[in-house]
Amino acid sequence: MIIKGIERMDTYEIALETVIVLILIIYFFYLRFKQVDEQYLYQNPHFWLMTGMLVYLGFTYFFNILVNYVDNEVIKNYYHYSYIGDIIKNVLFTVALLQIPRRITAEGHTRSFNAPNLDLI
């Protein structure tokens, strides 16, 4: 049994969770790039959500891991830089939310009755 002292954050669990989520995001991009579609990649809201998560995890990974091993003064001086990842993530999530209505209308047009226009007059 491992006995832990008092720490600021559970860094090992966060590191493992981040690595698993990063692997899943990379797998999502792998599957998406294998798929040939008439829709551009950036028109898919899932692309913007995954990119936002990727940016957020990339920015905050080392901040979260090193929080137990760095002095309080260093944390006070540099932890605000992790907010850059939060801001970029929120902007990309907003783009994803703006893409959802466009995708629904595009799917609605393809599901409609697709008969040729035979009106010759």
Side-chain angles (χ1 to χ4, degrees):
M1 182 173 168
I2 299 173
I3 299 174
K4 293 171 109 177
I6 297 175
E7 295 179 346
R8 294 181 199 135
M9 191 180 292
D10 297 331
T11 57
Y12 297 119
E13 291 83 359
I14 290 174
L16 180 64
E17 175 188 354
T18 302
V19 168
I20 290 171
V21 172
L22 285 173
I23 289 171
L24 291 174
I25 290 171
I26 291 169
Y27 184 65
F28 166 78
F29 281 119
Y30 169 74
L31 291 178
R32 188 66 181 112
F33 288 139
K34 276 180 54 175
Q35 169 182 337
V36 177
D37 223 350
E38 64 236 9
Q39 178 184 10
Y40 291 115
L41 180 63
Y42 57 83
Q43 292 176 335
N44 189 347
H46 298 117
F47 166 76
W48 295 106
L49 291 172
M50 294 297 155
T51 304
M53 289 173 36
L54 186 69
V55 167
Y56 171 74
L57 293 174
F59 265 89
T60 61
Y61 183 72
F62 291 106
F63 286 111
N64 291 333
I65 288 179
L66 297 174
V67 73
N68 290 328
Y69 306 106
V70 179
D71 295 335
N72 285 336
E73 194 63 35
V74 174
I75 291 174
K76 288 178 186 176
N77 290 335
Y78 294 105
Y79 196 73
H80 63 276
Y81 288 121
S82 70
Y83 298 141
I84 295 171
D86 289 327
I87 293 169
I88 295 172
K89 174 197 63 144
N90 291 336
V91 168
L92 292 175
F93 279 16
T94 304
V95 171
L97 289 174
L98 293 174
Q99 291 290 329
I100 290 174
R102 291 183 187 166
R103 181 172 178 162
I104 291 172
T105 57
E107 288 176 357
H109 290 299
T110 58
R111 290 184 186 166
S112 65
F113 184 65
N114 197 9
N117 187 7
L118 299 176
D119 189 13
L120 299 175
I121 299 175

